[in-house]
Amino acid sequence: MEQITLTKRVLVWWECAAFLEMLLLAGIIVLVFVEGTWLWYLLFWLLGASYVLVSFLYLPLLWLSMVYELDEARLICHGGVLFPKTRVMRRERIAFVTRVQGPVSTLLHTVTIVVHAAGGTSVIHMVDERHAQRLYDALSGGAS
Amino acid sequence: MRSYHHAHPVDIVLSVSRFLGLLIFPALRALYSLLFTMDHLIDWLRGAWFDLIVIFLIVGLGFIRWYGRGYHLEKTGIRYRQGVFFVKTQLVPFEKLSVVTKESLFYLMPLRAVYVCADTDGGSPRAYDFSMLLKKDEAQTLVERCRVRQKRSMERVYLPKNRNIAILSLIASNSLGGVLFLSTLFSGAGKVFGRSIEREVFDQITTVTQVLVQGIPPVAAIIGLTILGGWSVSFLKNLVRNLRFSAARRGAYLRIESGLFSRRLYDLTVARINLIEIQQNLFTKALGLYTVFLHANGYGKKKDELSVLMPSCDRASFRDNLRLLLPEFSGCKPTVRPRVRYLTRFLFPPVAWIVAVTCAWVVVWRWIPDLRSTVLFLWIMSSIPCVWYLIVKLVSFFHNGIGVQQGVYTLQYTFLYRFKTVIVPAQRIVSVQIKRSFTQFFSGCCDVVIDTFSEGKKRHVIPNLPLCKAQEILHCTNLPEPILLRKEKTPSV
């Protein structure tokens, strides 16, 4: 059984995105609310606490939880921290496979693969390009 | 390195036509009126420069979109690429295709442009998995490659008469669709030709209405003519769409063609047809007419598209033509039917509706004595569908049931005012539920809910069947009793 996990680049990107979002929210708080009031301080404390929890706990756990397994008969997708989910898809039921690469994915050399089957889809998020091509060929071959 | 074929160049404009139409016609109209005067042309340019820039931007985006789309025919399937910034690539295997459609719209025929769409069992239930506007010869090559070359096998063709297609259009037309079409047409025409023309058309319609419906209350006349006008437009649309219909079976494929001006061709893989559905209303049931639809992922997906197999035929023709085109789907008579003592279950809901509607209008009648004639009119109008429903439910008692023959199930049931007969192979049934309400426990009957294979959910509910026979025919015996009725604890499986 082949096991695929996300690369460290993906975690770095998520951390950067979380940091940028935190800055954006901090900017909104500064612009909208009056400085020095109890509400202003409360919002900043909440923002800081949320950022620490997300950045140092949630995102690393989420990155660790996302594992994809491929064997001769099935594709298994694991993921989730608060609501862990495992999705099993039989390869013989796969109709076709889509490969999606945006500008950020191109910079990070990652690819998202969407597997379509009758009744549902499975998304394999941001895997490394080398693994993605192998996975794509294996699943497309299983689809045909 | 793969070379991708692009779509037909006219797709650059067609893909952005929704946005372009808002700007280009007023600009062209103004330009036409100033065409022969150079001074005014410069004045017009000074006023319309922003609109022109937006038009060029829209066409430019259309070009970028066209450039980013392409397909490549591979040994095993169609490789399709889409997008410039977010690049999406997918491989649709030939052997997973359930329907391939080729559509030649009349206004694209001079440009030799044809829409080709292909669908599998996966993907979105609202959109085709592959859809492109191609040049005619490229489209022909693509459609032929999608079909495995077969040895010459006999072709069996079904050609319905035009009157059968007219009957289908009569049954399938609905006023709402026609009214929406007309309102969009008038609104769009107002934008193109100017509001004064739109007002002129409406004034003419009002004048004709007043002449035609003397003696009828104006509100009722407007509602009646709107419904009639909408239905007529819908009827004509369906007729034009379905004329020159033919269905041909060759080997493992079924080819369906239709359309008077715009020709549509559907290539269906027989092994991927999910079920056959016969729909009748009270009139067609009394006349013994059958309208047959087939369900395959990708056929009948577009708006206003009907997934027809046989537009309209009598019982004998239906049997003969089904054996000709799809002998794999052999229906049978239901063997599990509701018992006589379940008749009240069928009649109770419509009778309850009639009583409720009558009581409500009696209350209104007493409260508003000044409007008694209007209330009486509305009471009669609202009672007619309820009485109609009562007749439908009475007939459905004799219609409902389940039968099975050689692994193919025949399900007969009623949905609202329609009588449905569904022929589905056992392997296309995804799940079976046997549901019993509190009152059904003591009478020994149940509702059978069957989900069949499709891109979305397709559900069939056959109510009030005897429980034991339903379990036997669906191989659902040894089910545990409901918890409230259990006399002793049963061990969990």
Side-chain angles (χ1 to χ4, degrees):
Chain A
M1 188 183 281
E2 188 185 349
Q3 217 179 54
I4 296 166
T5 53
L6 302 183
T7 64
K8 290 192 179 94
R9 292 193 294 271
V10 173
L11 181 60
V12 170
W13 162 244
W14 285 353
E15 297 285 358
C16 292
F19 182 70
L20 289 170
E21 274 183 45
M22 189 267 298
L23 286 181
L24 180 69
L25 286 169
I28 291 170
I29 292 169
V30 165
L31 284 170
V32 171
F33 295 93
V34 177
E35 191 181 328
T37 55
W38 67 269
L39 182 61
W40 190 82
Y41 284 113
L42 177 66
L43 286 171
F44 263 108
W45 272 107
L46 284 173
L47 181 65
S50 314
Y51 174 69
V52 166
L53 274 172
V54 165
S55 183
F56 290 98
L57 193 63
Y58 180 74
L59 287 178
L61 286 175
L62 183 66
W63 180 80
L64 283 169
S65 73
M66 290 177 86
V67 176
Y68 306 101
E69 290 169 1
L70 186 68
D71 64 20
E72 282 165 10
R74 302 169 305 172
L75 168 69
I76 305 168
C77 305
H78 304 279
V81 176
L82 297 172
F83 301 98
K85 198 163 70 173
T86 300
R87 196 177 183 125
V88 180
M89 188 181 268
R90 296 190 69 82
R91 285 178 68 170
E92 67 200 9
R93 290 291 203 173
I94 293 172
F96 62 97
V97 183
T98 304
R99 199 188 130 113
V100 184
Q101 199 172 25
V104 171
S105 300
T106 312
L107 280 170
L108 296 174
H109 297 287
T110 59
V111 174
T112 298
I113 291 177
V114 184
V115 184
H116 301 268
T121 52
S122 278
V123 184
I124 304 173
H125 293 281
M126 297 183 90
V127 289
D128 188 65
E129 258 176 351
R130 292 161 297 164
H131 293 309
Q133 191 55 45
R134 221 172 45 239
L135 200 58
Y136 181 75
D137 292 336
L139 291 170
S140 300
S144 52
Chain B
M1 181 77 178
R2 282 184 205 102
S3 63
Y4 286 90
H5 298 277
H6 292 292
H8 193 289
V10 78
D11 194 44
I12 296 170
V13 174
L14 283 178
S15 62
V16 293
S17 57
R18 284 173 295 170
F19 313 110
L20 214 54
L22 296 171
L23 288 171
I24 203 161
F25 287 111
L28 286 175
R29 209 174 62 225
L31 184 62
Y32 178 76
S33 66
L34 303 166
L35 201 58
F36 300 106
T37 316
M38 186 54 79
D39 291 338
H40 287 169
L41 180 64
I42 293 168
D43 288 335
W44 172 76
L45 275 171
R46 275 202 203 109
W49 66 271
F50 188 73
D51 288 346
L52 288 172
I53 286 173
V54 172
I55 289 169
F56 284 126
L57 270 173
I58 290 172
V59 173
L61 280 169
F63 177 80
I64 291 170
R65 199 181 151 187
W66 171 85
Y67 185 75
R69 282 177 81 191
Y71 78 95
H72 176 77
L73 280 176
E74 304 209 341
K75 212 171 160 185
T76 54
I78 308 168
R79 191 172 292 276
Y80 173 61
R81 189 193 69 187
Q82 188 181 358
V84 174
F85 303 113
F86 281 92
V87 179
K88 198 168 84 164
T89 316
Q90 66 192 31
L91 176 66
V92 182
F94 291 134
E95 60 176 39
K96 294 285 180 172
L97 294 173
S98 52
V99 177
V100 178
T101 307
K102 197 170 86 167
E103 197 172 358
S104 310
L105 298 172
F106 68 94
Y107 53 87
L108 293 175
M109 278 182 192
L111 299 168
R112 297 178 62 81
V114 169
Y115 275 107
V116 175
C117 309
D119 212 9
T120 63
D121 291 341
S124 166
R126 280 173 292 279
Y128 289 103
D129 299 328
F130 169 81
S131 178
M132 269 181 96
L133 181 68
L134 300 176
K135 293 176 191 152
K136 197 170 177 179
D137 44 0
E138 282 183 0
Q140 188 59 31
T141 310
L142 180 58
V143 170
E144 275 167 18
R145 278 290 296 275
C146 289
R147 290 288 166 248
V148 173
R149 283 213 187 104
Q150 295 178 323
K151 288 183 195 161
R152 279 185 81 83
S153 54
M154 195 173 66
E155 193 175 65
R156 295 166 280 179
V157 182
Y158 163 66
L159 289 168
K161 294 191 174 76
N162 286 338
R163 69 156 187 261
N164 293 338
I165 296 167
I167 292 171
L168 167 71
S169 304
L170 273 169
I171 296 164
S173 302
N174 73 81
S175 307
L176 180 64
V179 166
L180 286 172
F181 178 79
L182 279 175
S183 63
T184 312
L185 181 67
F186 285 136
S187 167
K191 284 183 191 139
V192 172
F193 299 112
R195 291 290 162 203
S196 58
I197 304 250
E198 189 185 352
R199 268 195 300 274
E200 182 67 31
V201 168
F202 278 122
D203 288 341
Q204 290 296 329
I205 291 172
T206 312
T207 311
V208 168
T209 309
Q210 283 165 351
V211 168
L212 284 176
V213 291
Q214 291 175 11
I216 298 174
V219 170
I222 288 169
I223 293 171
L225 279 172
T226 306
I227 291 171
L228 190 63
W231 183 88
S232 306
V233 166
S234 181
F235 170 76
L236 284 169
K237 274 177 66 185
N238 281 328
L239 192 66
V240 163
R241 204 182 176 92
N242 291 302
L243 274 173
R244 293 171 65 197
F245 180 94
S246 70
R249 172 73 185 267
R250 181 182 278 191
Y253 301 107
L254 183 68
R255 176 168 281 197
I256 293 176
E257 293 186 67
S258 68
L260 181 62
F261 303 121
S262 300
R263 292 294 287 166
R264 288 165 189 89
L265 182 143
Y266 306 92
D267 249 341
L268 290 86
T269 309
V270 172
R272 297 201 180 274
I273 293 174
N274 298 322
L275 52 90
I276 303 288
E277 188 174 296
I278 302 151
Q279 289 191 16
Q280 296 170 294
N281 56 30
L282 210 52
F283 284 127
T284 53
K285 197 158 177 66
L287 295 169
L289 289 174
Y290 291 66
T291 304
V292 186
F293 299 90
L294 71 81
H295 186 269
N297 296 330
Y299 182 43
K301 208 167 202 176
K302 281 189 177 170
K303 194 170 85 76
D304 296 336
E305 201 174 80
L306 300 170
S307 56
V308 181
L309 177 62
M310 295 180 217
S312 171
C313 51
D314 56 34
R315 192 187 179 90
S317 304
F318 160 67
R319 284 224 169 113
D320 293 338
N321 291 318
L322 192 65
R323 216 176 294 133
L324 181 79
L325 295 173
L326 293 170
E328 296 88 351
F329 290 82
S330 53
C332 63
K333 283 196 170 155
T335 49
V336 178
R337 288 189 177 276
R339 292 193 177 125
V340 176
R341 57 191 162 116
Y342 302 155
L343 180 60
T344 49
R345 295 185 168 279
F346 285 84
L347 300 182
F348 179 73
V351 166
W353 272 110
I354 291 170
V355 167
V357 164
T358 307
C359 291
W361 283 116
V362 163
V363 166
V364 174
W365 173 285
R366 288 195 171 189
W367 257 10
I368 317 175
D370 297 335
L371 293 172
R372 283 198 170 166
S373 59
T374 308
V375 168
L376 180 65
F377 170 74
L378 290 171
W379 182 1
I380 293 168
M381 287 292 114
S382 54
S383 298
I384 289 173
C386 299
V387 172
W388 194 266
Y389 191 49
L390 176 65
I391 301 170
V392 166
K393 287 303 257 183
L394 181 62
V395 174
S396 76
F397 171 76
F398 298 99
H399 173 79
N400 283 14
I402 300 177
V404 64
Q405 188 180 62
Q406 293 176 345
V408 178
Y409 281 89
T410 302
L411 316 172
Q412 289 186 194
Y413 60 97
T414 316
F415 180 70
L416 296 176
Y417 293 85
R418 289 194 179 267
F419 300 97
K420 291 194 177 187
T421 303
V422 172
I423 303 171
V424 54
Q427 61 266 29
R428 299 315 251 185
I429 293 177
V430 171
S431 76
V432 175
Q433 288 179 65
I434 296 197
K435 290 165 91 165
R436 295 157 75 188
S437 65
F438 184 71
T439 54
Q440 284 175 320
F441 284 149
F442 303 102
S443 54
C445 71
C446 65
D447 294 346
V448 174
V449 181
I450 296 176
D451 288 335
T452 52
F453 199 87
S454 79
E455 268 178 309
K457 191 195 275 192
K458 194 140 180 82
R459 179 162 278 194
H460 315 274
V461 182
I462 308 104
N464 300 318
L465 293 176
L467 177 67
C468 300
K469 288 192 174 177
Q471 285 177 335
E472 203 183 304
I473 202 168
L474 294 164
H475 308 292
C476 297
T477 50
N478 299 322
L479 292 176
E481 279 290 308
I483 192 80
L484 292 175
L485 297 181
R486 273 181 219 171
K487 292 189 178 121
E488 46 189 58
K489 267 193 183 174
T490 48
S492 57
V493 177

